[in-house]
Amino acid sequence: MGMMMSLMGKGVPSGQMLSALTGALYSTFIEKDVKNFDDFHRAILDMFNVINSALPGKHYDVPSREEIEDFFAEWQASAEAERKDAFVEFMKDTVTLSKLDNYTVITGIVTPPAAMAAKKAAENVPQINIIKAIPDVIFVPSVTVLALISAKVSRKIIQGKMGKSAT
């Protein structure tokens, strides 16, 4: 009874939750017909989809394709008895909790008031007077989503260029 009450207050630690999920997911993973890397990669992606949809509020990042390719070679080379242990170690080593970067948070906070101010200013310009026809309820979320997408894409482009120039 005491253990249940402490888990209700604090929840199950995420490491224990991930271990329990990893064991259960591995059993469904080996039931899939994995013949080549594409099947293996699809099974890993399906598994992350299940994990992220099952755990409310927490989302885990999928390992990179190169990490999955390396693990696939290791997984194929290992014996049947060692595959589960290798799989659990791979999941523990590569699965990370998804985090928002500061740029996304700042964009999400600053964009709605800026969109309202831009709309009010644009309503007085005769060439774009039609903006009055768009309700605020549609305009502000649309601009916010577009700003978040552009911030995310530009951040990925910048990180990609920096990552390639460093090598």
Side-chain angles (χ1 to χ4, degrees):
M1 178 80 176
M3 183 64 161
M4 290 301 288
M5 295 306 269
S6 67
L7 287 177
M8 284 174 55
K10 298 176 189 168
V12 178
S14 63
Q16 289 177 352
M17 178 72 79
L18 188 60
S19 296
L21 276 173
T22 304
L25 289 173
Y26 183 75
S27 62
T28 59
F29 175 73
I30 58 171
E31 290 174 3
K32 295 186 182 204
D33 190 25
V34 177
K35 294 180 182 170
N36 55 21
F37 175 73
D38 290 333
D39 295 338
F40 185 82
H41 192 236
R42 190 175 301 114
I44 294 282
L45 292 176
D46 287 343
M47 200 171 0
F48 274 91
N49 190 21
V50 169
I51 290 172
N52 286 334
S53 63
L55 296 175
K58 289 188 177 184
H59 289 279
Y60 293 93
D61 290 332
V62 179
S64 69
R65 184 175 175 92
E66 291 80 24
E67 290 175 324
I68 294 174
E69 285 175 351
D70 294 341
F71 175 67
F72 178 67
E74 177 188 330
W75 186 75
Q76 276 190 320
S78 62
E80 285 290 329
E82 299 171 357
R83 284 185 174 181
K84 182 176 181 180
D85 294 333
F87 179 79
V88 170
E89 283 301 314
F90 171 73
M91 293 296 280
K92 285 182 181 177
D93 292 341
T94 59
V95 173
T96 57
L97 190 62
S98 181
K99 297 179 182 173
L100 285 176
D101 59 346
N102 291 337
Y103 298 104
T104 306
V105 173
I106 290 170
T107 303
I109 292 171
V110 171
T111 303
M116 283 301 300
K119 183 176 181 209
K120 294 297 178 200
E123 286 176 351
N124 296 329
V125 178
Q127 290 84 357
I128 50 177
N129 197 14
I130 190 127
I131 204 163
K132 287 182 183 178
I134 302 172
D136 292 344
V137 176
I138 294 173
F139 183 77
V140 173
S142 300
V143 170
T144 303
V145 167
L146 289 173
L148 288 171
I149 289 171
S150 65
K152 193 76 161 176
V153 168
S154 63
R155 189 82 179 133
K156 292 277 186 187
I157 290 171
I158 290 170
Q159 286 178 343
K161 286 182 181 177
M162 288 181 163
K164 289 179 183 176
S165 65
T167 56

